[in-house]
Amino acid sequence: MRAAKMSARRGRAVPWLVLGLWIVLLAAVSPFASKLEDVQRDRAVDYLPASADSTQVARIQERLPGGEATQMVVVYHRDGGLTAADRATAAEQMGRIAHEHTLTAAPRGVPSADGTTVMYPIASTGPGTDEKARDRLVNDVRDVARGEGGLGVDVGGEGALATDAGEVYDSLGGPLLYTTAGVVALLLIVIYRSPLLWLVPLGVAGMSEFLARAVAYGLNQGFGTSVTGQSGGIMTILVFGAGTDYALLLVSRYREELRRVERPYDAMAAALKGCGPAVLASSGTVAAGLLCLLAADLNSSRGMGPLGTVGVLVALVAMLTLLPAVLVLLGRRVFWPLVPRYGSTPKVRRSLFAAMGSSAGRRPLTVLAGGAVLLGALALGALNLPGSLKQEDSFTSRPDAVAAMRTLAAAYPERGTQPVTVITPAGRADATLAAVRGTDGVDSARKGRTGDGWTEISVTAKDAPESAGETATIKALRAGLDGSYVGGPSAEQLDLKDTNSRDRMIVVPIVLLSVLLILVALLRSLVAPLLLVAAVVAVWAAALGIGGLVFGPVFGFEGTDPGLGLLSFVFLVALGVDYGIFLMHRMREESLAGAEPVTAALTALRTTGGVIASAGLVLAATFAVLTNMPMVQLVELGFVIAVGVLLDTFLVRTYLVTSAAVALRRTVWWPGALSRAPEPPVPAARQPESV
């Protein structure tokens, strides 16, 4: 009786205490959460490889007189050919721009050979590294440079492209958050079929996102962790996606326990004890996989690791503390109208997962072979992935800067229209300038600013931006200029591609090894972890192959983001193993309880299949939100991860892994104790008959 009273008091006090602590915590961090957008940076140097030439150029340019230059190209175009009035308009407007702003040189028009276009390359050191000042300059130039009567005017160049990209990333925060929350809310309503229950995990996820923003701001201030529009958006996706997954697993187990346990507090304690280890292990796996990105050389990838980890771990803490407290305080009525009554038995229905388990149990090898052939065929689609994504093709729409670049490419096919920047020691500037002019593929070169021991040389290539010819010129400059750095927009794209290739060779093995070690420690087996890792790698390859089949032919994308392979691999391996842990942990529970291997596998699928399916749908839907964003990189990443999660949920995890477990039987737990058949019970000694 005394123990029952103590349990009842804990059931009332502990949830209120947890809720109170969370209210205090959120109030304390609120000033910092709102500051995350203030430290978000989307400059080239925030995405570039840490050790690349183009990064060194960007950093040195910041130290030159006036700081980093904002470079633009004002393009005047008329299809039938420019008139004298058009040229006069262009000259007058450029004169106004030069008068209102401090430019590094007087604007000089460069007419095209066909007479349809004239371009004015301009640059200003006024904004320096201030992104807001850069945006004001670009917008001021656009306000002045306007055409009438069929005269087209576009402002492009590196500075204008950065402004357009910044506007896109700035617009991600609100729409991404609201859309993600809306998608999760809709799915939870369908899954729970309750007018109240869906609000609880959604509200907890929202509070988690608020706290994650504050922690991310703290990492930036304390350790200099870079925060970009891409990494901030991914963090929001992970908080809602992973957090809702953990909530689904906990609520499902809590519902089961409410039928067996009278008090909600005791039922929640049993639910946390039952599913807590699997949730902790799955979140630890995701966090470990994301932290492996710290080994990447690419700034954007390396910064995404800590922010993604923050999102997952904050969501984990919230779902294991705040969510249980709120559910216990609301009691059984939170499940209305499908309230799990104490002592009741849920209706037994023939579920899809029971049917899948039956076929896997009858023909496991046939199922495995068919699944392997299907995944292999899908993976071949990766051969159809388009080439590297160019800057001008990185938007799903066509902003002003992209329109300018395409006009230039058509009007000046015989020459480069985007400068290549060489930074050289000031004492060797003349010798470097002569060497640059003598390099194959260089059309012209001139010295610019000098300061801090360095001199900037602006180079115009003979070939179009990001073409094979210009790439060869950049490589020739780097090979022939000792002690100098070669950068600029095209060089940055080249470094992004090369660094992503190197990062894949380093990060992928680290991710696989770390995930494998965690699974071995959790499952006390070597075969089961190898099976799960092989499954998620197959899912990644198949999802990337599906992307290759639709990116170009269906979406009309002109290229593939160089970082797609690495980032999609890290996310799909880390997140995909989540569901494997849920399934295999339940399978291990059943085996420890004495179930035969086949029975344990089919029972695990039947009891966790619905939860895994719900969690997979939510996670896939949250990443699918990225496909509605205006950046090709985000669309491609969201599509591949969403498709991969669906493949993993409805084919690989619930069907193929179960079939493999059925086929391998006890071997799946080798070399652990569960791999050995239990010894038959020793019969009791025969007692002598009484006289």
Side-chain angles (χ1 to χ4, degrees):
M1 180 68 70
R2 183 178 179 182
K5 289 182 178 179
M6 291 181 63
S7 176
R9 284 197 296 268
R10 283 197 303 269
R12 290 190 296 269
V14 173
W16 283 112
L17 177 62
V18 172
L19 182 59
L21 289 174
W22 266 93
I23 292 174
V24 172
L25 177 62
L26 292 174
V29 303
S30 60
F32 308 105
S34 59
K35 293 182 179 180
L36 185 64
E37 291 184 357
D38 296 338
V39 299
Q40 179 178 309
R41 296 289 182 267
D42 290 297
R43 302 170 301 166
V45 72
D46 297 309
Y47 286 83
L48 290 174
S51 60
D53 262 29
S54 55
T55 309
Q56 303 305 318
V57 168
R59 288 174 176 167
I60 293 172
Q61 282 182 317
E62 293 178 357
R63 305 199 302 267
L64 292 178
E68 184 177 340
T70 298
Q71 298 178 340
M72 292 172 282
V73 181
V74 184
V75 183
Y76 293 87
H77 175 82
R78 186 183 290 274
D79 290 336
L82 294 171
T83 65
D86 293 337
R87 294 187 179 92
T89 297
E92 186 272 331
Q93 291 180 354
M94 296 309 301
R96 286 174 54 193
I97 291 171
H99 176 73
E100 295 173 4
H101 301 280
T102 303
L103 304 181
T104 58
R108 182 175 62 87
V110 181
S112 64
D114 60 6
T116 63
T117 308
V118 61
M119 68 172 178
Y120 285 85
I122 58 174
S124 173
T125 57
T129 59
D130 188 333
E131 294 181 40
K132 293 182 178 178
R134 177 204 64 200
D135 296 343
R136 286 195 299 269
L137 172 63
V138 172
N139 291 327
D140 286 347
V141 171
R142 285 174 170 168
D143 288 340
V144 174
R146 294 181 177 274
E148 295 178 356
L151 175 64
V153 184
D154 296 307
V155 179
E158 183 180 6
L161 193 65
T163 293
D164 290 341
E167 290 179 357
V168 169
Y169 280 120
D170 289 343
S171 69
L172 292 182
L176 184 62
L177 175 62
Y178 305 143
T179 306
T180 303
V183 167
V184 171
L186 179 62
L187 289 173
L188 287 177
I189 291 172
V190 174
I191 292 169
Y192 287 140
R193 291 172 292 170
S194 168
L196 178 61
L197 180 58
W198 65 275
L199 284 169
V200 180
L202 183 65
V204 172
M207 296 178 189
S208 303
E209 202 271 343
F210 187 78
L211 177 58
R213 293 175 67 84
V215 177
Y217 176 77
L219 287 179
N220 173 269
Q221 297 298 296
F223 302 97
T225 303
S226 63
V227 180
T228 64
Q230 185 183 51
S231 61
I234 293 297
M235 184 183 73
T236 296
I237 292 290
L238 284 173
V239 169
F240 277 91
T244 306
D245 278 5
Y246 304 148
L248 286 168
L249 188 67
L250 177 64
V251 171
S252 175
R253 193 63 176 257
Y254 178 51
R255 190 197 296 264
E256 288 182 30
E257 298 298 337
L258 283 172
R259 299 182 187 278
R260 294 193 289 262
V261 181
E262 183 176 3
R263 294 188 179 89
Y265 177 83
D266 297 330
M268 180 58 72
L272 287 171
K273 183 179 179 181
C275 70
V279 173
L280 287 170
S282 63
S283 61
T285 304
V286 176
L290 292 175
L291 285 177
C292 291
L293 286 172
L294 288 171
D297 188 36
L298 200 65
N299 282 341
S300 56
S301 297
R302 193 170 61 251
M304 190 178 296
L307 259 67
T309 302
V310 164
V312 169
L313 294 183
V314 169
L316 168 72
V317 172
M319 296 305 170
L320 292 185
T321 57
L322 181 58
L323 177 64
V326 175
L327 289 174
V328 170
L329 290 173
L330 292 175
R332 298 175 186 271
R333 59 184 176 273
V334 74
F335 290 93
W336 186 87
L338 304 176
V339 179
R341 304 292 181 187
Y342 173 56
S344 64
T345 303
K347 295 181 180 179
V348 179
R349 299 174 181 175
R350 178 68 174 175
S351 68
L352 169 65
F353 301 101
M356 294 173 69
S358 298
S359 61
R362 290 193 302 270
R363 296 180 294 275
L365 295 179
T366 302
V367 171
L368 277 175
V373 170
L374 175 60
L375 292 175
L378 292 175
L380 293 176
L383 300 175
N384 195 48
L385 283 169
S388 295
L389 190 68
K390 296 181 179 180
Q391 280 187 313
E392 64 186 80
D393 299 323
S394 59
F395 300 88
T396 56
S397 58
R398 184 181 292 188
D400 198 22
V402 172
M405 294 173 71
R406 293 185 175 176
T407 300
L408 290 173
Y412 300 87
E414 76 287 351
R415 60 167 292 161
T417 55
Q418 186 167 264
V420 175
T421 303
V422 175
I423 295 291
T424 189
R428 296 166 49 188
D430 292 336
T432 301
L433 180 61
V436 168
R437 287 172 173 168
T439 302
D440 289 341
V442 172
D443 181 71
S444 63
R446 60 181 177 83
K447 286 195 295 185
R449 295 173 296 161
T450 297
D452 198 32
W454 297 94
T455 294
E456 178 185 87
I457 298 175
S458 182
V459 182
T460 300
K462 294 179 180 178
D463 297 284
E466 299 184 51
S467 63
E470 190 201 40
T471 298
T473 301
I474 292 172
K475 291 181 177 179
L477 287 170
R478 287 177 170 174
L481 302 177
D482 292 334
S484 300
Y485 300 108
V486 180
S490 296
E492 291 168 3
Q493 293 299 109
L494 177 62
D495 288 337
L496 287 174
K497 179 182 177 181
D498 292 344
T499 305
N500 270 298
S501 298
R502 291 197 302 270
D503 284 350
R504 281 197 299 271
M505 301 298 293
I506 296 173
V507 176
V508 166
I510 296 176
V511 171
L512 291 175
L513 181 60
S514 62
V515 169
L516 185 63
L517 291 176
I518 292 174
L519 290 175
V520 169
L522 174 70
L523 299 177
R524 318 281 178 82
S525 163
L526 186 59
V527 175
L530 287 173
L531 172 64
L532 293 180
V533 170
V536 293
V537 172
V539 165
W540 168 73
L544 209 58
I546 294 175
L549 297 176
V550 302
F551 286 164
V554 179
F555 293 166
F557 295 159
E558 299 292 334
T560 305
D561 178 39
L564 176 64
L566 176 62
L567 293 180
S568 61
F569 179 86
V570 171
F571 282 110
L572 281 177
V573 168
L575 295 170
V577 167
D578 254 15
Y579 303 137
I581 290 174
F582 296 161
L583 180 67
M584 298 300 287
H585 187 268
R586 188 60 179 259
M587 197 181 301
R588 179 177 171 80
E589 276 190 58
E590 297 294 333
S591 298
L592 288 172
E596 288 299 311
V598 175
T599 303
L602 300 184
T603 301
L605 175 60
R606 186 179 65 254
T607 54
T608 66
V611 179
I612 290 177
S614 300
L617 280 173
V618 170
L619 190 62
T622 53
F623 273 98
V625 170
L626 291 176
T627 62
N628 195 41
M629 298 296 108
M631 297 292 290
V632 171
Q633 297 95 318
L634 295 178
V635 174
E636 291 179 341
L637 182 63
F639 179 86
V640 170
I641 295 178
V643 168
V645 169
L646 291 176
L647 279 175
D648 188 68
T649 301
F650 293 100
L651 174 63
V652 175
R653 194 65 49 217
T654 51
Y655 211 29
L656 301 186
V657 170
T658 302
S659 298
V662 170
L664 292 171
R665 297 178 183 267
R666 294 189 184 278
T667 306
V668 77
W669 303 114
W670 184 88
L674 287 176
S675 64
R676 297 182 289 274
E679 296 181 2
V682 178
R686 184 181 178 86
Q687 299 293 327
E689 294 181 0
S690 58
V691 178

